[in-house]
Amino acid sequence: MSALTAGRWRQALLLAGVLGIAANLRPAITSVSPVLAAIGSALGLGGVGLAVLATIPIGCFALLAPASLPLQRRLGLEPAVLLILVMLSGGLLLRLIDAAPALYLGTAIAGSAIAMANVLVPAIVKRDFPDRVGLVTGLYITTLYIAAATAAGVSVPLMRASALGWRAALGFWAIPALGGVFLWLPQVRHGVGRFPLTTRGGGFARMIRNPLAWAVTMFMGLQSLGYYGVLSWLPSILHSIGIAPGRAGLMLSISTIVALPSTLITPLLAVRGRDQRGLMVAVTGFTLIGYAGLTVVPGLAPWVWIVIIGLGQGAMFPLAMTLIVLRAGGPMEAMALSAFAQTIGYAVSVIGPLGMGVLHTMSGVWWPSMAFLTATLIPTFAFGLRAARPETLTLDAMRATV
């Protein structure tokens, strides 16, 4: 085998490994909301307990994202990712135990693993696919959404088909997670010859003083606030207007499936030019229509609103991930900015599912929760416009440069 052929084979194998990671970053979360009622009934969890369960992964995203930086410095990028995938598999297997502590602990372990993987993937894209950032990011996010939609759509059937009930719906996803482990194993050996990302400490702290880093971070957080708010409570909102739980879970799945064109096309559009402000206007405007419809007239055309929300949110997340890569001056900056954006951003996003749950508990209806979600698009748009300007940041200068 020639050196050129071997290089292409290794690149294809790396891409498969990256997509294997993507396939395991959402099922641990999207498999939960369609079976929340069954979990609450089986374990005696009330509204607050279920809201906490829905919020645990996002809290882990905020708390554990920075841990990926010292882990990567100590082990190297490829071994760190392998350890994270093993950790994810263990957390999902733990959720097979019929006990609330195991459910919460397994969810926390899985959420922690996902948090660290979220940070490291943009660095891999920036380092190993510098000329294909849009394509690889689009494929990565599309794979992520397909897996998320699949998990949401089959959770109720899995629960009904197994004597394990809700545990089958959650624990099943350990199988593809273990598959991701084996798919990534070759990278531990191949990674020896790649450019190492052994950055010195302090990159995360230096982001705090950079306005561009804050703009990217707040856009990341506020769009995630909306995504996880919808992800956690859409089946319950639809059930409140007379839609059966199984059908509501299917509709959540479909809202993710219809997002697939947006997830693939948005990064490709974003990298065509240095300025993404026009794309930002279109993406946030479309999402606003869906949120407003589900707030004001949820029962009039629920399929329409969830399709519009799916398309809008399906563009916002890949745009946020692409902006992390585009605004970073290099792979080390991409990793530091990714850690900062996801730590602060996901801390902000916790307000989504938790705030919607509290507002519903206080009012007994869902429109205040959706009105709150709609209002958050105002700062989302403002920070997004700033993040979409054609600038980059570097760790050496730690200032935005045109």
Side-chain angles (χ1 to χ4, degrees):
M1 184 183 294
S2 68
L4 179 61
T5 302
R8 288 176 176 174
W9 170 249
R10 288 184 179 181
Q11 194 81 344
L13 195 59
L14 175 60
L15 178 60
V18 168
L19 298 184
I21 297 169
N24 286 289
L25 295 186
R26 289 301 177 269
I29 304 167
T30 59
S31 60
V32 175
S33 60
V35 296
L36 269 178
I39 293 172
S41 176
L43 298 179
L45 301 177
V48 174
L50 293 177
V52 170
L53 178 63
T55 308
I56 283 176
I58 311 167
C60 291
F61 290 178
L63 294 173
L64 272 296
S68 58
L69 300 182
L71 180 68
Q72 187 277 146
R73 282 197 298 268
R74 184 174 183 84
L75 300 180
L77 183 56
E78 287 76 15
V81 172
L82 181 64
L83 179 61
I84 287 167
L85 288 170
V86 171
M87 183 177 165
L88 174 61
S89 302
L92 293 172
L93 287 170
L94 195 58
R95 300 204 297 189
L96 287 168
I97 299 174
D98 188 12
L103 173 61
Y104 283 114
L105 179 60
T107 300
I109 293 173
S112 300
I114 294 169
M116 291 185 284
N118 283 338
V119 169
L120 297 182
V121 169
I124 296 172
V125 174
K126 189 75 173 182
R127 183 192 66 180
D128 296 306
F129 303 96
D131 299 325
R132 296 181 176 86
V133 167
L135 176 61
V136 174
T137 301
L139 291 172
Y140 170 79
I141 303 296
T142 300
T143 302
L144 186 151
Y145 267 72
I146 290 173
T150 302
V154 305
S155 283
V156 173
L158 281 172
M159 178 181 68
R160 292 173 176 170
S162 172
L164 295 176
W166 61 266
R167 290 178 290 153
L170 304 188
F172 172 83
W173 302 102
I175 298 174
L178 290 169
V181 170
F182 288 102
L183 195 59
W184 190 254
L185 277 173
Q187 303 310 321
V188 176
R189 178 167 56 89
H190 293 164
V192 174
R194 295 195 187 108
F195 173 67
L197 297 180
T198 52
T199 60
R200 64 186 183 276
F204 183 94
R206 277 176 284 173
M207 293 287 168
I208 296 174
R209 300 188 296 272
N210 189 278
L212 178 56
W214 275 106
V216 173
T217 293
M218 292 306 296
F219 176 68
M220 177 72 183
L222 289 165
Q223 67 82 27
S224 295
L225 182 155
Y227 175 77
Y228 287 108
V230 171
L231 187 67
S232 299
W233 297 115
L234 181 60
S236 299
I237 294 171
L238 295 175
H239 184 52
S240 72
I241 60 174
I243 296 175
R247 188 176 180 85
L250 179 61
M251 291 175 75
L252 173 62
S253 176
I254 289 175
S255 74
T256 306
I257 292 173
V258 299
L260 295 180
S262 299
T263 63
L264 185 58
I265 293 171
T266 301
L268 295 174
L269 293 175
V271 300
R272 292 183 66 179
R274 298 180 64 231
D275 192 324
Q276 292 79 35
R277 282 176 285 187
L279 185 58
M280 184 66 66
V281 171
V283 165
T284 52
F286 208 72
T287 307
L288 174 62
I289 295 171
Y291 282 3
L294 199 58
T295 302
V296 180
V297 284
L300 180 61
W303 281 101
V304 173
W305 307 135
I306 67 166
V307 166
I308 293 175
I309 289 172
L311 289 171
Q313 289 187 335
M316 291 181 79
F317 178 60
L319 180 56
M321 295 297 291
T322 306
L323 287 175
I324 290 174
V325 179
L326 293 179
R327 297 291 86 92
M332 292 181 288
E333 287 83 1
M335 189 161 52
L337 180 57
S338 179
F340 183 70
Q342 297 191 59
T343 298
I344 307 298
Y346 282 122
V348 171
S349 71
V350 170
I351 301 170
L354 195 58
M356 289 180 69
V358 170
L359 285 171
H360 176 257
T361 300
M362 293 173 61
S363 65
V365 291
W366 282 106
W367 73 261
S369 300
M370 283 305 305
F372 156 73
L373 208 58
T374 304
T376 63
L377 284 176
I378 297 173
T380 303
F381 179 63
F383 283 111
L385 281 181
R386 175 67 179 87
R389 288 166 55 180
E391 302 175 5
T392 58
L393 55 82
T394 62
L395 285 175
D396 291 332
M398 274 323 306
R399 60 182 176 85
T401 58
V402 178

